[in-house]
């Protein structure tokens, strides 16, 4: 798609927290907050001519590799929030994109994400083939000073539940969409009760895709009870998450 006349390198979008996006206590579900961030980044990419359809012209696509989210306050039903996003870096294969969630002009949550361009036929990383020079890269506009988390090895784990990838779990790349992994982890947090648990920090890494009808297991690190892992039937690690 051509670059929109409304394109700017920093993009903002307004949302009203919807009833169907809220959990029992009236706050937005953390999964749905992440979805709104990705809706914002997707719309920004469309305006800037680097969207899924633009990349598909050369058999490429963006996939999420890492995501860190810090929450100071969760928005609640009917509150008006603004999400702003910008690209911190884009080196051809990898891109860091940042987010801020604002309520009444105050930042209530921040996130940073690492995206990789892949060849959708070979399912391997590949240098981005379309031009992105019109995007200003805000190298100094970081939301976190520390690098993305390096996850420790999993020595002993506690199995929480097993599942099978369903059709509704898939996205346009025919693999499990990234927010679904977080949804499975949130369900693991509540596998015994409905007691509300405040989530303040989430660190995620997406390591290996899951496909239709794949079997998966959600486990918790026996030595670190904030560390959750999703494995496939061959014990390959697909996803890891630190949630506090």
């Amino acid at each position: 798609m051509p670059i929109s006349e409304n394109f700017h390198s920093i993009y903002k979008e307004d949302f009203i927290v919807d009833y169907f996006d809220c959990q029992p206590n009236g706050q937005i579900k953390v999964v749905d907050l992440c979805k709104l961030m990705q809706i914002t980044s997707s719309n920004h990419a469309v305006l800037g001519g680097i969207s899924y359809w633009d990349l598909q012209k050369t058999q490429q696509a963006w996939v999420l590799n890492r995501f860190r989210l810090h929450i100071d306050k969760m928005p609640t039903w009917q509150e008006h929030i603004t999400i702003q996003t910008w690209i911190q870096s884009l080196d051809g294969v990898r891109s860091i994109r940042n987010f801020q969630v604002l309520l009444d002009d105050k930042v209530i949550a921040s996130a940073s994400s690492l995206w990789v361009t892949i060849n959708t036929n070979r399912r391997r990383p590949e240098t981005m083939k379309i031009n992105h020079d019109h995007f200003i890269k805000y190298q100094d506009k970081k939301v976190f000073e520390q690098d993305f988390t390096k996850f420790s090895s999993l020595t002993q784990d506690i199995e929480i539940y097993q599942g099978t990838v369903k059709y509704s779990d898939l996205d346009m790349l025919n693999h499990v969409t990234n927010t679904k992994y977080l949804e499975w982890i949130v369900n693991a947090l509540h596998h015994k009760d409905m007691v509300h648990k405040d989530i303040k920090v989430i660190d995620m890494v997406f390591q290996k895709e899951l496909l239709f009808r794949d079997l998966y297991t959600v486990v918790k690190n026996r030595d670190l009870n904030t560390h959750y892992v999703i494995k496939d039937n061959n014990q390959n690690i697909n996803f890891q998450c630190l949630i506090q």
Side-chain angles (χ1 to χ4, degrees), residues 69-195:
L69 171 64
H70 287 201
I71 302 166
D72 295 321
K73 179 186 182 301
M74 269 297 206
T76 58
W77 180 45
Q78 293 189 321
E79 285 189 325
H80 294 242
I81 61 173
T82 299
I83 299 179
Q84 62 181 11
T85 184
W86 62 93
I87 292 176
Q88 179 183 316
S89 63
L90 202 171
D91 65 8
V93 176
R94 303 185 304 168
S95 177
I96 295 177
R97 176 181 279 277
N98 296 329
F99 303 86
Q100 289 179 325
V101 182
L102 297 96
L103 175 65
D104 297 328
D105 297 321
K106 180 182 178 181
V107 176
I108 60 170
S110 302
S112 188
S113 57
L114 175 63
W115 297 80
V116 177
T117 48
I118 65 164
N119 181 293
T120 51
N121 293 330
R122 296 189 294 109
R123 315 299 273 194
R124 302 296 301 167
E126 186 175 77
T127 300
M128 187 173 168
K129 295 179 179 179
I130 60 177
N131 181 51
H132 53 80
D133 291 342
H134 52 290
F135 275 86
I136 299 172
K137 283 71 172 183
Y138 295 90
Q139 296 279 358
D140 298 326
K141 194 173 173 61
K142 300 179 180 180
V143 291
F144 308 122
E145 286 303 318
Q146 66 271 37
D147 293 332
F148 290 102
T149 297
K150 293 182 179 179
F151 284 80
S152 57
S153 58
L154 191 68
T155 53
Q156 291 184 310
D157 58 52
I158 303 169
E159 182 178 315
I160 299 176
Y161 70 86
Q162 294 182 328
T164 302
V165 175
K166 301 176 179 61
Y167 181 79
S168 60
D169 299 328
L170 307 177
D171 61 20
M172 290 196 292
L173 289 177
N174 294 312
H175 63 193
V176 172
T177 193
N178 58 66
T179 54
K180 184 60 66 172
Y181 292 94
L182 179 57
E183 182 178 303
W184 292 339
I185 298 301
V186 171
N187 287 337
L189 286 173
H190 294 277
H191 74 288
K192 289 184 177 180
D193 59 60
M194 285 181 55
V195 177

Side-chain angles (χ1 to χ4, degrees), residues 153-159 219-225 227 229 231:
S153 58
L154 191 68
T155 53
Q156 291 184 310
D157 58 52
I158 303 169
E159 182 178 315
V219 303
K220 181 167 66 173
N221 190 332
R222 188 180 296 274
D223 300 321
L224 181 63
N225 64 8
H227 181 195
V229 173
K231 299 178 178 181

